Amino acid sequence: MLALLLALAACSPRQLILQETATALATQGQAPEDDLVLAREASAFYLKLSESVLHETPGHVPLTVAVTSGYTQYAYAFVQFDADRLDAKDAQAAQKLRQRAARLYQRAQDHAMATLELHSPGLTKALANPAPAMWPRLPTDQVDLAYWAAASWGAYIALSKDQPQVVADLPLAMHLAQLAYARAPQNKRGSLASLMGTFEAARPGGSAQRAVDYFDEAIGLDGRVSAAAYVAKAEAIALPAGDRPAFESLLKQALVTSATHPDLSNSVMRERALWLLDNTDDLF
């Protein structure tokens, strides 16, 4: 009781309210939703509110995860995907959307890295070292945050290929993903393994077979309930290889899974899989 009283005395009522609000917002961000239109309409307000609270509660890991994941998923599902669909009709408008998506990914990455740096000062500098032994140990409760940091960072880089200073950070993003994967390879039920596959397929000199192994690991962990790894493998492996049968097979598997287990992520993946299948003739 004495310890509790001392802790309460050390915090102002405003700080206590902010911490409770941050925790509540982080929890709200985990609420299930499978209606894409409703999610899109609600996201902007939720993200802005959560971001404002995060500014007042720096280092709050659960809220940072909610903000970072929210901006990353919003950029992917509602901005970058819109750009892909618009490309054939209006390339200039599509490019503007991709620039917006890049800014949103950067925003997500900035929030994530700020919190990670607050808990592990010098993390970014350490990740520049190619030797994994020189990277700090990642606490288990920060693996989710590291995943979203690496995912948003990689997406930002992918949309900024005309900016050498941004592309130069690709090894850092990959090292962060490796750090999280080494700490908890089965984290997020395969999403982390899928991210590793995407990085491996994209990096200069990457191993296609190793990327396939990562994607297959992700599918083995979560393929019965999540369509994401099927779509990622189709776009990162089958499409560059010109393997149309594999491409179509993976996307059809994604459709089956998304129909069986409807949620927001699977709804997004279903829309993308359908669009990719509709445009297969143009892609191959």
Side-chain angles (χ1 to χ4, degrees):
M1 179 64 70
L2 178 60
L4 176 60
L5 290 173
L6 289 172
L8 290 173
C11 297
S12 69
R14 180 175 181 274
Q15 289 174 318
L16 288 172
I17 292 171
L18 283 170
Q19 288 293 328
E20 290 176 359
T21 302
T23 301
L25 283 170
T27 303
Q28 180 62 33
Q30 300 169 2
E33 178 58 65
D34 62 356
D35 188 311
L36 281 178
V37 176
L38 181 60
R40 183 170 195 155
E41 292 173 347
S43 292
F45 174 77
Y46 169 77
L47 286 171
K48 284 298 298 177
L49 176 61
S50 298
E51 188 176 47
S52 297
V53 174
L54 182 59
H55 282 308
E56 298 294 327
T57 55
H60 194 289
V61 173
L63 184 57
T64 309
V65 170
V67 171
T68 302
S69 63
Y71 272 118
T72 302
Q73 292 174 98
Y74 184 92
Y76 177 81
F78 305 132
V79 184
Q80 186 176 347
F81 190 20
D82 282 358
D84 292 340
R85 287 186 284 203
L86 187 60
D87 235 342
K89 299 178 181 178
D90 190 337
Q92 186 174 6
Q95 180 58 21
K96 287 182 179 179
L97 282 175
R98 288 196 178 92
Q99 290 171 350
R100 181 181 178 225
R103 291 193 297 271
L104 291 171
Y105 287 133
Q106 182 184 24
R107 193 167 179 167
Q109 185 256 346
D110 285 345
H111 283 305
M113 292 308 297
T115 294
L116 287 171
E117 279 282 348
L118 192 61
H119 287 278
S120 300
L123 173 65
T124 305
K125 184 178 180 180
L127 291 174
N129 193 312
M134 301 303 295
W135 305 339
R137 183 176 175 82
L138 188 70
T140 303
D141 66 352
Q142 294 175 29
V143 172
D144 273 1
L145 183 55
Y147 163 80
W148 286 111
S152 58
W153 205 346
Y156 171 45
I157 291 169
L159 293 182
S160 307
K161 293 179 180 177
D162 59 339
Q163 301 180 54
Q165 74 280 8
V166 177
V167 177
D169 285 340
L170 178 59
L172 276 67
M174 292 178 59
H175 291 168
L176 182 58
Q178 288 177 256
L179 185 64
Y181 183 79
R183 188 73 178 90
Q186 296 186 357
N187 180 263
K188 297 189 70 60
R189 299 187 312 175
S191 295
L192 187 48
S194 183
L195 178 62
M196 290 294 294
T198 299
F199 274 129
E200 187 64 30
R203 75 178 181 88
S207 166
Q209 183 55 56
R210 191 172 183 185
V212 168
D213 291 342
Y214 280 129
F215 285 124
D216 288 346
E217 178 184 347
I219 290 171
L221 287 169
D222 204 28
R224 290 180 297 175
V225 296
S226 174
Y230 293 116
V231 176
K233 185 178 179 182
E235 293 196 79
I237 301 297
L239 182 57
D243 190 342
R244 181 167 179 164
F247 182 79
E248 293 179 337
S249 175
L250 286 163
L251 294 177
K252 289 174 182 177
Q253 287 177 294
L255 293 179
V256 171
T257 301
S258 62
T260 306
H261 299 277
D263 59 22
L264 185 58
S265 174
N266 278 342
S267 294
V268 171
M269 290 300 116
R270 179 177 178 80
E271 290 294 313
R272 187 158 188 87
L274 286 170
W275 176 76
L276 288 168
L277 286 170
D278 286 345
N279 290 271
T280 300
D281 289 340
D282 295 329
L283 294 170
F284 286 87

